[in-house]
Amino acid sequence: MLSLVDADGLPLVSTLGTGSLDEALAAFGGDILRQLERAQADFQMGPMYQVHFVGRDRQLFAVPVSPQATLVAMVDAQATPATITMHLLALVRDILPHLESG
């Protein structure tokens, strides 16, 4: 499940359809942008490429696409993080020109 969200936590594009899960994932994605900025400033981490949360039932990935958008993915707990990361970074590369031109 993927969602491209803006900095205000509103879904721009989502595979989830409308509903509370979509809204929760969008809000999470918007908030994570602010947390990434804080981590960069507070911990001198340099550019942030991804945030990964692992739970018993699911994994969440958040990849900043631009200062105004984040790609958020929710996957099964058994999914291989390296494979998910590779696909998400490829998607970001494909999405970025569309955001810059719009």
Side-chain angles (χ1 to χ4, degrees), residues 1-4 25 28 51-53 59-63 70-75 84 88 91:
M1 295 180 250
L2 288 170
S3 188
L4 181 65
L25 198 58
F28 173 81
V51 175
H52 180 207
F53 293 90
Q59 299 179 67
L60 291 174
F61 292 81
V63 180
T70 302
L71 183 63
V72 185
M74 184 170 32
V75 302
I84 300 299
L88 290 176
L91 278 172

Side-chain angles (χ1 to χ4, degrees), residues 42-83:
D42 292 354
F43 308 119
Q44 301 173 347
M45 296 185 71
M48 301 292 283
Y49 302 116
Q50 174 180 282
V51 175
H52 180 207
F53 293 90
V54 180
R56 184 189 69 202
D57 300 324
R58 293 183 175 158
Q59 299 179 67
L60 291 174
F61 292 81
V63 180
V65 178
S66 72
Q68 297 82 26
T70 302
L71 183 63
V72 185
M74 184 170 32
V75 302
D76 291 334
Q78 296 79 21
T80 306
T83 301

Side-chain angles (χ1 to χ4, degrees), residues 4 64-67 69 90-102:
L4 181 65
V65 178
S66 72
L91 278 172
V92 167
R93 186 184 64 232
D94 292 342
I95 291 169
L96 191 56
H98 298 287
L99 290 177
E100 292 173 344
S101 66

